Amino acid sequence: MASLQAPLTIISDNGSGSHPFQPPAATWFDEDPLHFVALEARPRSYGDGASSIGDDHAFRSSVISGVMSIDSTVYTNSSTGYSIKGKEGDDEDPSEIVKYEAFGLPKDDTSDKNNDGMDDSRHVLSAFDAAKKAAQDNLRTLCTEISVSFPLPWKLATIEMASPSILDDDDTCATDPTVMESRRIPILAKFSPKMSNGMRFLAMQYTPTMVRIATVEGEDPTIANRSVNKRPSFRKISSSDIDGDYSANRNHWTIDLSYHAHPITSKPEQMPGFGGSARNLFSKKKEEGVNPDITSIIGGGILWSARGVSDDRITSLDLIVVATTSVIVYNINITKKQLIKTQIFPHDMAASFWYESTTRTLVIGSYKASRNPNNGGDEHPLSRSSMSLFSEESQGQDESSKDTSFPSAVMEMKTLFFSKTSSIVEKLPKFSIGTLREEEAKDEDEHHELMLLSGDFNASEEKLQQGEDSESSIVLPTEIFLLKLYGSVYCIELGSMGSGQGIGFTKLDREGGCIHVRHQKFEALKGTKIDDVESMISVGVLDNLLCIFSKKNETTYFIDVADIFSDDQRLFRESVERFDPDMHDESLSFLAPRYFLDTSGQGMLYEVGLSLPLLLPNVPPTACIIPFLMRRNVPKATIRTHIMGRFTSLIKKRDMPSLMKWIGVIVDRYSKSADGLKFDFESTVSLLSRSSLTSLNDMKDADVSSTVGDIMVPLSCGQVLTQTEMLQMIFLPHAVLAIKKGDDSLLRFVSSFSVRYFVELERRSLTPSIALQCLVVALLWRTGENAELTSFLSTWQTQWTITRRRRQMDLPTKTGMYFDNPGAVPYAEILFKIAVEGIVDKASVRCDPSATRQLISYATTILLGCGATSLAVKCLLSAGRLNDAINVCSKKIRPNKVPVVPEETSFAGGTSSKDFFRAAVSNARKQSSVSERCKTFYLLHCFLQQWDPSALEMDSRQVKVSRRKASLAHMQRPSFRGLDDYDTMMVKQSVLAHDFPRFPDELFGGKESACCLKLRAMFGYVQNVK
């Protein structure tokens, strides 16, 4: 929680109440929850104690409480029966009403925002100026979340100050100084979450040891309404002036560690009775973790921890006080209306602490005592156990015999995890920060001098201390940050390697009960003192990225811890630098985790988002940032657009080494996604037609920006690129672009790229999708890569054959899902289509006949393995592979399966006798000799006698016969015949002859040749129609 140096003037939209909130005396920014806490200023008091309530511009002043700002005599007088006025026996303390409010951001503005939709104004103005302009056009005010008024004792509510002397006009004498009453400002004020029963509390720290907890809401709502709407009175009041129900129902508790750690209950308008209790000033109680002489609250060490079923149902509330010697946990017992100390966790004298509110992670840092190596012994200076800088073990020793208690570079960290549902507090093993910090020698001579000093046991202790201890090597609390990134908590150390170099990352693994440490080279802040005011180093989080804001360098540095902790050396690990002077203006103050407060003018508050279009140009084009992009909290279409753009730039440069590095990273992550594998297995059938590259008119190329909008990938696939996305974003658009432009060089590059991606999948025992296999075949087919295509097809055909045979024997198969794939049959049909397609574009070169035969054989194997025998025969016949079709059918013919009744014979479409005969005619036309044609028809006749003998049986049917007997030359000329030129007569010939009436006489030497007459008779064609 940050205390703002200058009180902010809060402009709220609070319309409730007749008296709006006045300009505050103090303002705090609370990160948990995200709101501003403000204490209303006290108008000028007059001599009678009355206030000028009606004057909104009344003079106001305030004093922040400091060390011993509330003297211990206050407690002594109050507890022994003396009031502030000194009247013995009067136990009523004068009090005053104070008012606190909390102002939050509009509810719809508190989410992470990414400015990828920024308009073109960013090209004219800077990024931050454009964002400011857009924000100022739609200003929104803070909304009032909490507004409470309650009484406090006079000594806690106000402070008396002597105003400066006022000189007369003649400058000869001055009036007596007057006493002015002003609002006393706590060091810290923090509201608790609201419990399910409506109760809320406010913790106010007034001194380094004293905290007061006030009940500000709950139990009696009429009191809350009355206290908020009623204008507070700025006069001294006693307990009789306060509603009795308020005091009865809303007790206050006070904790003062200078006495003991137990809370004292008092009425709201009274001071606590420390002196009257058993634990009084004269018997300060020492207990484990609490020493009244040295224990104090670390700055900001007042935390609330709510527990319950959910965030909306809070059933228990803990107050956590982080002190220099321990962490003390108090629980508010609603039933008994008490604040009870429940747990205490002692630790060494702490220098600072860090708290991450969403995960309830608390880390306490304690310096280790530095051991002088000149005292003898081989123990390393940093190997000594942690010691308090004010350890009681050193008390009573002679000052001359004490070691210098100067903190070393190491800070020991203790971690506590608080639960959201129970009182159990988990711990992690202690770890150290600053272990890699070393002092750099100014020159070589000084380096040797230090070595000699360390080896000379007679060297003076002062010189050795000067050589080893350096202020620059000390890890400071301002260099350590505790942040939540990607759901895990990280302890960040800036300058982990000394002199501002390096960043140390310590991942606090709560589930594993361990820590993970990484150190990253980072020289951007080399030589910079992190705690220097002029450097103005701030650290925040934007979209799970670590952001380092340097006003001195006018640069923002973005670091992704996910890549830092990855063991994959191919990933881009460097910081991304964004130079933007306007964002680092002196008037801007950073408020964690992602807000900038403009202290000039009206004090605008800006929420900063991550803009990928502005960030990515600062990344090298060859850097592998695909996982980085996939982790961003932006729409998937935006991510795909950026990924496609980076791939396109490398493809244009023909940078295969960089692309292969990217592909290796993508496939490694894809192999771990079960949902991605399942999605590709089931959903790539729709891409088969496009992957065949046979229908280019309906396909989009890489120049079309809407390509990524057609991709529909479920969210369950996670942060991986599926095969479907690779096809639609990378391979298909660039392949289509190359074909349309006739760029054979680009087409060959895309072909090689897709094959390498295919091989990377197989290396990891992953099954390439059907659509990817189809695209690889189509690209190899179009680029004329005969040897590679044949090898590819032969290998996969062998795998399919082995899989089919093992499945028939009920043996387990590694590739058993091939035949279960719903796209296997359409894939085989597409392969037949590719094999018979005629290529006419300029970028493509067709493969030779051997590759064609291998392609058809591979497609046939797939269809047979899937049980689609009829479809295989049909495709073979359409491709003119008559002998292959006959061989497939011959293996399926069984004598006992031949139907007895011809009428019951039925064949699948494309596998009838007529289809076989048509394929035979087509093949015969391609053959050069009559003997080859006769052989083909003779083989067909033998096959049909077994496959479909009914096709060769004679059948009498009505046939139209031409009456005109013209010559062959006359028949070839176009003519118009009337209906009376034909006659109908009964003709007896085979069923096949009726279905395919025209026999190809010209292929066998004419109708009168002996070969032709013989073949016509074999197939049942009539010789002459009389």
Side-chain angles (χ1 to χ4, degrees):
M1 186 168 183
S3 176
L4 304 182
Q5 296 297 326
L8 297 180
T9 299
I10 305 295
I11 304 176
S12 70
D13 59 355
N14 183 21
S16 61
S18 57
H19 300 282
F21 193 76
Q22 299 301 307
T27 311
W28 298 268
F29 177 68
D30 194 351
E31 301 174 18
D32 178 36
L34 192 64
H35 61 203
F36 293 89
V37 178
L39 169 62
E40 188 178 51
R42 185 181 190 276
R44 178 187 299 179
S45 298
Y46 299 97
D48 58 354
S51 59
S52 177
I53 300 177
D55 187 4
D56 291 338
H57 302 283
F59 174 82
R60 62 186 176 95
S61 62
S62 57
V63 176
I64 298 179
S65 299
V67 178
M68 297 303 293
S69 62
I70 300 180
D71 198 270
S72 59
T73 57
V74 174
Y75 304 126
T76 305
N77 292 339
S78 176
S79 59
T80 55
Y82 291 91
S83 67
I84 301 301
K85 296 179 180 180
K87 294 182 180 179
E88 186 174 357
D90 186 4
D91 59 352
E92 292 186 357
D93 299 325
S95 60
E96 185 171 291
I97 298 290
V98 296
K99 184 175 182 179
Y100 283 87
E101 289 198 2
F103 301 92
L105 302 178
K107 297 302 181 182
D108 55 346
D109 288 348
T110 57
S111 59
D112 287 336
K113 293 183 178 180
N114 300 278
N115 300 327
D116 289 289
M118 189 179 297
D119 56 18
D120 292 335
S121 61
R122 66 174 180 265
H123 299 294
V124 180
L125 305 173
S126 69
F128 193 71
D129 280 343
K132 287 172 61 176
K133 183 179 182 301
Q136 291 173 358
D137 293 339
N138 186 24
L139 289 179
R140 304 192 67 179
T141 58
L142 299 178
C143 56
T144 303
E145 294 181 348
I146 306 171
S147 179
V148 294
S149 300
F150 55 91
L152 278 178
W154 184 262
K155 285 293 184 180
L156 295 183
T158 61
I159 185 172
E160 294 181 350
M161 299 178 58
S163 62
S165 300
I166 302 176
L167 297 177
D168 292 340
D169 295 337
D170 55 2
D171 294 337
T172 57
C173 61
T175 60
D176 295 334
T178 59
V179 177
M180 180 179 61
E181 294 176 346
S182 180
R183 176 69 67 226
R184 184 185 295 275
I185 299 176
I187 298 175
L188 183 66
K190 188 176 180 67
F191 281 104
S192 75
K194 192 170 186 177
M195 302 184 66
S196 56
N197 61 0
M199 298 192 70
R200 190 192 300 273
F201 305 89
L202 175 64
M204 299 163 287
Q205 180 187 356
Y206 285 96
T207 73
T209 60
M210 194 270 277
V211 180
R212 188 174 180 99
I213 298 94
T215 308
V216 295
E217 289 184 12
E219 291 200 356
D220 188 358
T222 59
I223 299 176
N225 295 335
R226 184 162 59 252
S227 61
V228 172
N229 296 332
K230 178 182 177 182
R231 184 65 184 173
S233 174
F234 294 95
R235 63 181 179 86
K236 294 183 179 180
I237 58 176
S238 64
S239 59
S240 59
D241 298 321
I242 307 299
D243 193 338
D245 291 339
Y246 193 106
S247 300
N249 294 333
R250 297 190 174 183
N251 291 331
H252 288 198
W253 299 279
T254 305
I255 302 171
D256 195 339
L257 300 180
S258 63
Y259 292 88
H260 47 74
H262 297 275
I264 300 299
T265 306
S266 64
K267 293 183 179 181
E269 64 276 5
Q270 292 182 346
M271 296 295 292
F274 282 95
S277 66
R279 314 176 185 93
N280 52 40
L281 178 65
F282 304 101
S283 59
K284 293 182 178 181
K285 183 179 179 181
K286 292 184 179 181
E287 54 183 314
E288 184 183 15
V290 179
N291 187 341
D293 295 328
I294 62 174
T295 301
S296 61
I297 302 173
I298 304 177
I302 306 297
L303 308 172
W304 291 103
S305 178
R307 290 187 277 117
V309 179
S310 63
D311 294 339
D312 299 332
R313 297 180 58 186
I314 300 175
T315 58
S316 182
L317 195 62
D318 291 336
L319 174 67
I320 304 173
V321 178
V322 185
T324 54
T325 59
S326 62
V327 176
I328 311 171
V329 182
Y330 300 87
N331 180 259
I332 297 179
N333 191 314
I334 304 301
T335 304
K336 298 181 179 180
K337 300 179 181 179
Q338 293 180 355
L339 181 67
I340 304 172
K341 180 170 71 70
T342 56
Q343 299 183 80
I344 186 168
F345 302 95
H347 53 73
D348 297 316
M349 180 64 70
S352 185
F353 81 96
W354 299 264
Y355 183 68
E356 206 291 310
S357 58
T358 58
T359 58
R360 315 287 178 90
T361 304
L362 176 64
V363 176
I364 305 99
S366 303
Y367 284 114
K368 283 188 175 182
S370 177
R371 182 179 183 273
N372 192 332
N374 223 21
N375 292 340
D378 298 330
E379 184 181 3
H380 192 275
L382 303 183
S383 63
R384 248 181 115 174
S385 59
S386 298
M387 294 178 58
S388 168
L389 300 183
F390 308 97
S391 174
E392 297 182 9
E393 298 177 1
S394 62
Q395 296 180 5
Q397 298 180 5
D398 187 9
E399 293 294 333
S400 61
S401 63
K402 291 183 181 180
D403 290 342
T404 304
S405 59
F406 191 83
S408 71
V410 176
M411 181 180 287
E412 190 175 69
M413 315 297 280
K414 181 178 182 179
T415 307
L416 300 177
F417 294 108
F418 294 90
S419 175
K420 296 182 179 181
T421 57
S422 67
S423 59
I424 299 176
V425 179
E426 302 176 51
K427 302 179 183 179
L428 279 184
K430 294 182 180 179
F431 62 95
S432 298
I433 293 293
T435 55
L436 298 184
R437 299 195 178 209
E438 297 179 357
E439 181 188 7
E440 297 181 355
K442 296 182 180 179
D443 52 33
E444 191 69 19
D445 294 335
E446 182 179 355
H447 178 68
H448 288 293
E449 181 182 356
L450 292 177
M451 293 180 62
L452 293 174
L453 285 175
S454 61
D456 186 6
F457 292 98
N458 296 323
S460 64
E461 182 178 346
E462 294 181 359
K463 290 184 180 181
L464 186 60
Q465 190 71 21
Q466 292 176 0
E468 288 205 353
D469 291 334
S470 175
E471 185 177 350
S472 62
S473 65
I474 302 174
V475 56
L476 302 176
T478 53
E479 298 172 334
I480 302 175
F481 304 88
L482 194 68
L483 303 173
K484 178 184 176 182
L485 303 168
Y486 297 110
S488 300
V489 181
Y490 293 84
C491 184
I492 311 295
E493 176 195 2
L494 297 185
S496 63
M497 298 178 182
S499 301
Q501 301 181 80
I503 301 181
F505 300 89
T506 303
K507 182 179 179 180
L508 309 181
D509 189 350
R510 183 173 186 174
E511 296 181 358
C514 60
I515 62 172
H516 308 271
V517 182
R518 294 286 191 277
H519 286 271
Q520 176 72 9
K521 292 183 179 180
F522 184 71
E523 298 183 356
L525 303 180
K526 184 178 180 180
T528 302
K529 294 183 178 180
I530 307 301
D531 61 331
D532 190 0
V533 178
E534 296 181 356
S535 301
M536 296 297 289
I537 302 298
S538 303
V539 176
V541 178
L542 293 180
D543 194 11
N544 287 311
L545 295 181
L546 173 65
C547 301
I548 303 175
F549 305 96
S550 175
K551 283 193 175 182
K552 181 179 180 180
N553 300 338
E554 298 182 339
T555 304
T556 303
Y557 306 92
F558 300 89
I559 300 177
D560 193 350
V561 295
D563 293 334
I564 298 297
F565 277 81
S566 175
D567 296 329
D568 194 343
Q569 299 298 324
R570 297 166 295 185
L571 297 178
F572 181 73
R573 300 170 181 269
E574 305 299 325
S575 63
V576 182
E577 302 180 7
R578 171 70 185 175
F579 179 76
D580 193 350
D582 296 302
M583 188 174 180
H584 300 276
D585 188 81
E586 293 295 334
S587 61
L588 295 176
S589 299
F590 177 74
L591 298 178
R594 57 182 182 276
Y595 297 93
F596 276 93
L597 178 63
D598 189 354
T599 56
S600 63
Q602 296 183 357
M604 299 293 181
L605 184 67
Y606 300 101
E607 182 178 5
V608 182
L610 183 67
S611 177
L612 289 179
L614 297 177
L615 182 65
L616 293 182
N618 301 280
V619 182
T622 59
C624 182
I625 60 170
I626 304 302
F628 168 86
L629 292 174
M630 295 299 294
R631 288 190 291 265
R632 302 284 62 83
N633 185 25
V634 297
K636 278 285 187 180
T638 302
I639 294 176
R640 295 189 185 104
T641 300
H642 293 302
I643 292 177
M644 188 174 179
R646 295 186 70 84
F647 267 103
T648 300
S649 64
L650 291 187
I651 291 176
K652 288 181 179 179
K653 298 177 181 178
R654 308 295 194 267
D655 189 354
M656 186 61 75
S658 298
L659 288 173
M660 286 307 302
K661 182 175 66 174
W662 292 14
I663 288 299
V665 173
I666 291 172
V667 175
D668 284 340
R669 294 176 178 270
Y670 171 73
S671 64
K672 302 175 184 178
S673 175
D675 291 330
L677 294 170
K678 181 180 179 181
F679 169 73
D680 284 328
F681 177 75
E682 298 175 348
S683 63
T684 55
V685 181
S686 59
L687 295 176
L688 279 174
S689 178
R690 297 174 59 185
S691 299
S692 67
L693 301 179
T694 55
S695 302
L696 302 180
N697 295 330
D698 299 333
M699 299 179 62
K700 301 174 183 178
D701 53 42
D703 294 335
V704 181
S705 59
S706 61
T707 301
V708 296
D710 300 334
I711 306 175
M712 300 297 294
V713 179
L715 297 177
S716 59
C717 291
Q719 300 171 356
V720 297
L721 275 180
T722 62
Q723 298 182 47
T724 302
E725 292 173 290
M726 290 295 296
L727 282 169
Q728 292 185 273
M729 290 194 307
I730 312 300
F731 298 121
L732 283 175
H734 289 91
V736 173
L737 178 65
I739 295 173
K740 288 184 176 181
K741 292 186 175 181
D743 190 345
D744 59 337
S745 174
L746 177 59
L747 186 63
R748 291 180 181 276
F749 185 84
V750 175
S751 175
S752 177
F753 185 27
S754 62
V755 170
R756 291 170 185 258
Y757 176 64
F758 187 97
V759 172
E760 288 295 324
L761 291 172
E762 287 196 314
R763 283 179 179 176
R764 293 160 180 80
S765 300
L766 302 176
T767 304
S769 66
I770 294 296
L772 179 60
Q773 296 181 42
C774 184
L775 178 65
V776 169
V777 171
L779 288 173
L780 292 176
W781 177 263
R782 283 181 172 270
T783 53
E785 298 289 344
N786 295 284
E788 190 169 359
L789 177 59
T790 303
S791 176
F792 169 83
L793 296 174
S794 177
T795 301
W796 272 84
Q797 183 174 352
T798 302
Q799 293 183 7
W800 280 74
T801 303
I802 294 174
T803 301
R804 178 170 57 87
R805 291 179 179 177
R806 292 182 65 88
R807 285 169 61 90
Q808 291 174 351
M809 301 172 63
D810 294 330
L811 296 177
T813 57
K814 190 175 183 180
T815 56
M817 62 180 180
Y818 292 164
F819 299 106
D820 299 330
N821 196 312
V825 173
Y827 170 49
E829 290 186 275
I830 292 293
L831 294 181
F832 274 104
K833 185 177 181 180
I834 294 175
V836 299
E837 180 197 20
I839 298 177
V840 294
D841 58 272
K842 298 180 180 180
S844 303
V845 179
R846 184 168 181 172
C847 290
D848 57 21
S850 62
T852 304
R853 290 192 297 269
Q854 187 66 52
L855 181 59
I856 293 176
S857 177
Y858 175 44
T860 304
T861 302
I862 296 176
L863 292 176
L864 295 179
C866 295
T869 306
S870 300
L871 183 58
V873 174
K874 175 183 176 181
C875 292
L876 287 171
L877 293 177
S878 63
R881 311 295 296 185
L882 176 63
N883 293 341
D884 294 336
I886 291 176
N887 291 336
V888 171
C889 294
S890 298
K891 294 178 181 179
K892 299 296 180 179
I893 294 176
R894 297 292 184 268
N896 56 352
K897 294 185 178 181
V898 178
V900 179
V901 183
E903 288 76 4
E904 297 179 0
T905 304
S906 61
F907 298 93
T911 62
S912 64
S913 300
K914 181 177 63 175
D915 298 311
F916 278 92
F917 192 83
R918 183 182 293 110
V921 173
S922 177
N923 283 359
R925 295 186 187 280
K926 299 176 183 178
Q927 295 171 345
S928 58
S929 64
V930 176
S931 60
E932 292 179 355
R933 298 168 185 168
C934 292
K935 185 178 179 180
T936 299
F937 273 72
Y938 179 77
L939 178 62
L940 174 62
H941 180 267
C942 296
F943 167 73
L944 291 180
Q945 285 180 328
Q946 297 183 13
W947 176 254
D948 186 13
S950 61
L952 301 178
E953 294 179 357
M954 304 304 290
D955 184 22
S956 298
R957 297 182 185 178
Q958 294 288 340
V959 178
K960 288 183 179 181
V961 180
S962 176
R963 297 177 181 177
R964 182 178 303 177
K965 295 180 181 180
S967 62
L968 181 60
H970 177 74
M971 295 295 296
Q972 290 179 349
R973 292 198 302 266
S975 62
F976 298 93
R977 297 191 181 100
L979 295 178
D980 55 349
D981 292 335
Y982 290 92
D983 195 4
T984 301
M985 61 182 304
M986 186 69 66
V987 176
K988 185 178 182 180
Q989 58 182 0
S990 66
V991 175
L992 175 61
H994 286 293
D995 294 337
F996 199 91
R998 187 178 182 280
F999 188 84
D1001 300 323
E1002 68 277 6
L1003 298 178
F1004 303 97
K1007 190 173 183 180
E1008 301 300 330
S1009 66
C1011 292
C1012 183
L1013 294 175
K1014 180 64 175 177
L1015 290 175
R1016 289 178 67 92
M1018 290 173 57
F1019 287 95
Y1021 280 83
V1022 67
Q1023 298 295 336
N1024 292 308
V1025 180
K1026 297 181 181 180

